[in-house]
Amino acid sequence: MATLPNPLPKLAADPSGSSLGLVLPPGSLIDVTDEGPSDEPLLWRADGPAGPGDYDTLQVARRTAGLLPVLVDVGGDQGGLADWQLMPDEVSYPGDHDAEEVLEEFWEECAADELFGEQATDAEEDETISPYGPEWPGLAPATSTERESAVDPDARAAEIADSLTESGSWLKEPRLALVPARRSADIPAAIGWSGAVNYEGDVARLCAVLRSWEDRFGIRVVALTFDQLVLSVAAPPTTQAEAEAVAAEHFAFCPDNITQGHHETLRAYAQQEVLNQQVWSFWWD
């Protein structure tokens, strides 16, 4: 994967981050991968639990050091980051992939082959992904960032991060982390996150889609667990038709959200999980 210069090694001699224009709480540099220690640290992770305001405080790291904030949950069943099976050496560069080509390929595998079978025709329809059929429907149109419902993407990310650090959140032990990455969408690729490896072995292909969602809907990668990805959404769809078009992309990106989730159809998923929703989350079996 093509990478930027990694500023994290500076934190080994300067844990406070002052040389990078930061004021960091006590933390640790993480270099553990599925193949052993990496040549350079993959991320910095705070030693203590994250609290409201912490994510927003470290957004300055984007401008001063090229480090992007994200919450990592170290309290799940898989334990800490050392058990996450990070695989940075298996990752390509997100910019080398076209988001629509990736989604179309996934759609053909999941919709055309699995739901309809090899003899699928355009006239066939499966209620799971209705109103769509085996043919890839194309990318959903961008949601206008000028709508009243749209906010600054980084401000929305801070709001969602705060909600995930509050008592009662479904995250068990969120810690603040900093990752060297070009843009928020690239965070999973930058650390070699393998949460979707049973579905896609090169997470950069998924990050190409995240880049497209960043451009069209103002998403930010706000949190990662061992196998779950959580996004904030600054400009979510505001009509059912728009939501269904986005839900089709979600199905291609992570079919488990629908086929193994609480919603048995794309239409129901669109209405309850996409329409006007400020958070999108994905989990791969």
Side-chain angles (χ1 to χ4, degrees), residues 121-138:
T121 68
D122 292 346
E124 291 180 303
E125 182 174 300
D126 185 292
E127 185 63 24
T128 302
I129 57 170
S130 179
Y132 305 109
E135 183 177 351
W136 164 239

Side-chain angles (χ1 to χ4, degrees), residues 1-53:
M1 174 180 168
T3 59
L4 295 169
N6 187 348
L8 288 178
K10 294 182 180 180
L11 297 180
D14 175 30
S16 71
S18 60
S19 64
L20 297 175
L22 305 174
V23 180
L24 298 178
S28 305
L29 294 172
I30 306 299
D31 67 355
V32 179
T33 77
D34 194 44
E35 300 294 330
S38 59
D39 294 335
E40 291 187 332
L42 300 173
L43 69 155
W44 170 90
R45 186 215 65 208
D47 291 339

Side-chain angles (χ1 to χ4, degrees), residues 102-114 134-136 252:
V102 170
L103 288 171
E104 183 174 10
E105 179 182 324
F106 287 158
W107 182 273
E108 290 175 351
E109 293 175 356
C110 297
D113 293 346
E114 293 187 19
E135 183 177 351
W136 164 239

Side-chain angles (χ1 to χ4, degrees), residues 136-221:
W136 164 239
L139 292 180
T143 301
S144 173
T145 56
E146 296 179 357
R147 293 182 179 180
E148 291 184 5
S149 58
V151 300
D152 176 74
D154 294 329
R156 173 58 51 78
E159 294 173 5
I160 300 307
D162 282 356
S163 71
L164 293 173
T165 62
E166 293 173 351
S167 176
S169 165
W170 59 268
L171 292 184
K172 295 181 180 179
E173 194 176 340
R175 303 281 182 87
L176 192 62
L178 291 172
V179 176
R182 283 180 168 81
R183 50 196 291 182
S184 182
D186 292 355
I187 287 174
I191 66 173
W193 184 69
S194 62
V197 70
N198 290 337
Y199 182 65
E200 171 55 56
D202 183 1
V203 71
R205 283 163 50 82
L206 298 179
C207 288
V209 178
L210 296 180
R211 283 185 169 201
S212 180
W213 289 348
E214 208 174 51
D215 295 337
R216 286 182 288 146
F217 309 111
I219 68 98
R220 295 289 186 267
V221 175

Side-chain angles (χ1 to χ4, degrees), residues 33-101:
T33 77
D34 194 44
E35 300 294 330
S38 59
D39 294 335
E40 291 187 332
L42 300 173
L43 69 155
W44 170 90
R45 186 215 65 208
D47 291 339
D54 289 351
Y55 178 99
D56 195 36
T57 296
L58 284 191
Q59 293 217 64
V60 67
R62 185 192 314 269
R63 299 187 298 274
T64 64
L67 296 169
L68 305 187
V70 65
L71 296 175
V72 293
D73 189 2
V74 300
D77 294 339
Q78 297 298 327
L81 288 166
D83 302 309
W84 277 26
Q85 299 174 338
L86 300 178
M87 298 186 291
D89 292 339
E90 303 299 319
V91 177
S92 60
Y93 176 53
D96 289 340
H97 307 283
D98 179 80
E100 181 160 24
E101 290 179 359

